[in-house]
Amino acid sequence: MGKFYTASVVYKWTWEQVAQVFWMRYPNPYSKHVLTEDVLARRVSGNCLYTRRLLTKTNPVPRWGERFIPGPRNVCIVEESIIDSSGHTITTYTRNIAMHHVMSVEEKCVYRVNPENSKWTLCEKSAWVSSAVFGFGAAIQAFGLDRFKKNATKATRGFEYILEKWFPHPQPVHSTDKLKDKARKVAEAAKAKASPIMSARPQPS
C-alpha cells in the first residue's frame, strides 16, 4: 500500500524572499547528502517559471538493505518546479529515478504566503513512499519514510540557513540600558524590603 506523510513548515521570511533564494538552497551545512544539481529544462509561460532539474544525493542503506542495492548508493532525483509570481506560490514535485525498483519516493511541496502572517511563508509537504519488493516491502517503506523525515528536517534547516544568510533577522535587543534598568529595579525592591528592618533596629545611645 505504501506510506503517506504530510507536514507543514513556516519560514519566517516573506514569500518574495523565499522565492529569491529558492535556487540557492544548496550547498548548505545541513544538506551535505546533496552532491550535484543540474538544470535540464526551463521555460517561462505567462507569469510562471517552469524548471526541471536533476539532483544527485547519497543514499546510505542499512546492512540488511545491501542485498537489494549493491555497489554505489548515489540516487538521481528529478525535481520539477513551478514558480507562479502572480499567485505567489512555488510548487515542487520530486521523485527518484534510480533504485525505484526497490523503493519509490514521491514528494510535493507548496510554498505560499502564510495566511496567519503575510510576512511569513508556509510550506506544505506531502510524500508517498512505496516498495514492491516481495516480503520486504513493509520494512523498506518504513525505512524510506524514516529517512525521508530526517532529510526533510535537514532540508528545512538548510533552507533557513540560506535565508538567514541573505536576509538576516534583527537580533533581540539586550541593551546595556535595559540591563541597568532591570538591576536598578531589583536594587530598589531589595531596599524597600530592607527599610522596615533597618528602622526597627535599636539605635546606639
Side-chain angles (χ1 to χ4, degrees):
M1 289 181 61
K3 292 186 177 294
F4 187 65
Y5 171 78
T6 60
S8 296
V9 176
V10 174
Y11 294 99
K12 296 183 179 181
W13 287 268
T14 66
W15 184 89
E16 288 78 8
Q17 291 172 327
V18 169
Q20 186 172 336
V21 301
F22 181 75
W23 304 114
M24 306 175 190
R25 306 195 307 277
Y26 311 114
N28 67 72
Y30 298 94
S31 298
K32 294 181 179 179
H33 61 291
V34 180
L35 303 178
T36 63
E37 48 181 336
D38 298 283
V39 175
L40 302 178
R42 178 168 282 165
R43 64 184 176 88
V44 176
S45 178
N47 295 314
C48 295
L49 172 65
Y50 296 83
T51 305
R52 180 183 294 115
R53 300 199 304 162
L54 179 67
L55 290 83
T56 304
K57 303 182 180 181
T58 59
N59 190 42
V61 298
R63 182 168 297 179
W64 57 264
E66 294 178 355
R67 61 185 296 182
F68 305 111
I69 311 174
R73 297 177 182 88
N74 294 344
V75 177
C76 293
I77 295 174
V78 171
E79 175 193 85
E80 296 178 283
S81 63
I82 306 169
I83 299 182
D84 184 349
S85 60
S86 59
H88 290 85
T89 60
I90 303 172
T91 306
T92 66
Y93 302 91
T94 60
R95 67 186 187 279
N96 63 301
I97 57 175
M99 304 183 188
H100 60 276
H101 62 288
V102 177
M103 179 175 64
S104 176
V105 180
E106 300 177 37
E107 178 192 23
K108 176 184 178 181
C109 294
V110 181
Y111 301 78
R112 56 168 55 94
V113 177
N114 186 357
E116 297 181 3
N117 188 330
S118 60
K119 295 181 179 180
W120 295 353
T121 303
L122 174 66
C123 176
E124 297 172 307
K125 300 182 178 185
S126 58
W128 180 261
V129 181
S130 59
S131 175
V133 178
F134 180 75
F136 291 88
I140 293 173
Q141 288 167 181
F143 165 77
L145 182 62
D146 181 66
R147 174 64 55 83
F148 176 85
K149 290 179 180 179
K150 292 178 179 178
N151 286 343
T153 299
K154 292 178 181 178
T156 298
R157 292 179 179 175
F159 201 2
E160 289 176 335
Y161 173 87
I162 298 299
L163 284 163
E164 183 65 32
K165 184 177 179 180
W166 280 84
F167 306 106
H169 281 135
Q171 297 300 315
V173 177
H174 298 296
S175 66
T176 304
D177 291 340
K178 286 189 176 183
L179 293 175
K180 287 182 177 179
D181 183 60
K182 185 175 181 180
R184 179 180 58 78
K185 290 180 179 179
V186 172
E188 289 177 353
K191 183 177 179 181
K193 291 181 180 180
S195 295
I197 299 176
M198 295 299 293
S199 62
R201 291 180 60 185
Q203 300 299 317
S205 54

